[in-house]
């Protein structure tokens, strides 16, 4: 059990580093001081937010792959596709139950679900920050 806790902690640390990197990449335009001077068009705002969503989507895929490779490394699941599928279902907390881990590694799936909940909450905060930034710079119309 302690070994699984340690493995889970390492994987959560790794995904946190990946997520932080994705956040800095996604929010780089917000941190640009010259961005406050611009007033983007509606389509630019939409693409700005879509860019952030796509970056965080790709970050989520990398995080699922990290867990999937761990399941393969510890022989918890047979085959790459099954490991990634199980990881994605667990990370998103869908938990279909068509692929399960044996008793010695099933605790890892609980840690991945916890990790996924935290990462999706963090991703939501990042997208909200992007939306707020995109729409707070619009020109106000004076009547």
């Amino acid at each position: 059990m302690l070994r699984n806790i340690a493995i889970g902690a390492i994987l959560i640390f790794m995904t946190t580093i990946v997520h932080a990197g994705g956040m800095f990449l996604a929010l780089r335009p917000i941190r640009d001081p010259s961005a406050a001077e611009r007033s983007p068009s509606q389509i630019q705002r939409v693409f700005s937010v879509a860019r952030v969503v796509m970056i965080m989507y790709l970050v989520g895929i990398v995080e699922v792959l990290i867990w999937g490779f761990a399941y393969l490394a510890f022989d918890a699941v047979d085959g790459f596709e099954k490991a990634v599928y199980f990881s994605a279902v667990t990370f998103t907390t869908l938990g279909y139950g068509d692929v399960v881990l044996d008793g010695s590694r099933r605790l890892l799936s609980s840690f991945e679900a916890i990790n996924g909940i935290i990462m999706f909450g963090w991703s939501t905060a990042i997208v909200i920050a992007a939306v707020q930034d995109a729409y707070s710079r619009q020109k106000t119309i004076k009547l």
Side-chain angles (χ1 to χ4, degrees), residues 26-49:
L27 298 180
R28 185 173 37 186
I30 292 174
R31 296 187 326 261
D32 180 9
S34 65
E37 300 167 6
R38 295 187 296 258
S39 183
S41 68
Q42 186 66 25
I43 194 75
Q44 287 172 319
R45 289 185 188 107
V46 169
F47 278 106
S48 173
V49 173

Side-chain angles (χ1 to χ4, degrees), residues 22-32 51-52 126-127 129-130:
M23 176 187 68
F24 288 120
L25 178 64
L27 298 180
R28 185 173 37 186
I30 292 174
R31 296 187 326 261
D32 180 9
R51 178 187 155 279
V52 170
I126 292 166
V127 171

Side-chain angles (χ1 to χ4, degrees), residues 4 71 76 86 100-111:
N4 285 328
Y71 292 133
F86 177 79
V100 294
L101 301 183
D102 67 10
S104 66
R105 294 288 180 215
R106 68 180 174 198
L107 190 57
L108 283 178
S109 62
S110 298
F111 297 145

Side-chain angles (χ1 to χ4, degrees), residues 66-120:
I66 288 170
W67 281 92
F69 282 122
Y71 292 133
L72 281 176
F74 295 110
D75 291 323
V77 179
D78 295 326
F80 178 72
E81 191 275 335
K82 190 181 275 188
V84 172
Y85 169 78
F86 177 79
S87 178
V89 168
T90 304
F91 197 77
T92 60
T93 69
L94 287 173
Y96 287 135
D98 54 340
V99 178
V100 294
L101 301 183
D102 67 10
S104 66
R105 294 288 180 215
R106 68 180 174 198
L107 190 57
L108 283 178
S109 62
S110 298
F111 297 145
E112 184 180 7
I114 293 167
N115 189 204
I117 290 169
I118 292 167
M119 295 303 154
F120 282 113

